[in-house]
Amino acid sequence: MKPISPARGETRVNIIEKTDEEILAIAAPLWRDLVKYSNEGKYGEFVRNFSNSLALAMNQVVAGHQFANSELARSLSEDVDALGIIRRGEHVTVLYRQRSTKKPGEWLGRLVLGYEDAQARIFGASIF
């Protein structure tokens, strides 16, 4: 699929052209919000920075069930480490070492970012 050309006078922003530091500065508050709203079980706030396509693909019932029934989803620690960045196409994947306040061990967090309507948006997020 060919990307849509920007309107006359607009500069098309591609997140992969940013430095690691710039990407991490964009990603950190987005990941922090995901952790916060996951812990609080606030689905509406959790998805507020999602791209339109990701928001449409999310099933509110399934996500609500996950918030209600997943100990991990409700006990994510603010103690997180950025592990690296992968660039591909018009998106970057930021990998995190995520911990829990209740479960021992570490998990891999994945945050996929890109631009939609000239704004940084979340195109994917998960914890393994």
Side-chain angles (χ1 to χ4, degrees), residues 6-37:
R8 186 180 306 245
E10 282 185 34
T11 304
R12 183 153 176 89
V13 180
N14 189 338
I15 197 163
I16 69 167
E17 296 168 1
K18 296 198 172 290
T19 66
D20 285 0
E21 292 77 19
E22 290 170 323
I23 291 168
L24 292 174
I26 294 167
L30 294 172
W31 187 259
R32 200 170 29 249
D33 281 354
L34 289 178
V35 167
K36 176 183 179 184
Y37 297 125

Side-chain angles (χ1 to χ4, degrees), residues 28-49 67 72-80 98-99 101 127:
L30 294 172
W31 187 259
R32 200 170 29 249
D33 281 354
L34 289 178
V35 167
K36 176 183 179 184
Y37 297 125
S38 181
N39 286 339
E40 295 174 359
K42 293 183 177 177
Y43 176 78
E45 294 297 316
F46 182 81
V47 301
R48 73 180 177 166
N49 291 308
F67 284 130
L72 179 60
R74 298 299 293 270
S75 67
L76 297 172
S77 172
E78 293 178 13
D79 182 17
V80 62
Q98 179 67 54
R99 296 166 186 87
T101 58
I127 293 183

Side-chain angles (χ1 to χ4, degrees), residues 89-101:
E90 294 186 1
H91 299 92
V92 295
T93 299
V94 182
L95 301 174
Y96 290 100
R97 177 183 297 123
Q98 179 67 54
R99 296 166 186 87
S100 168
T101 58

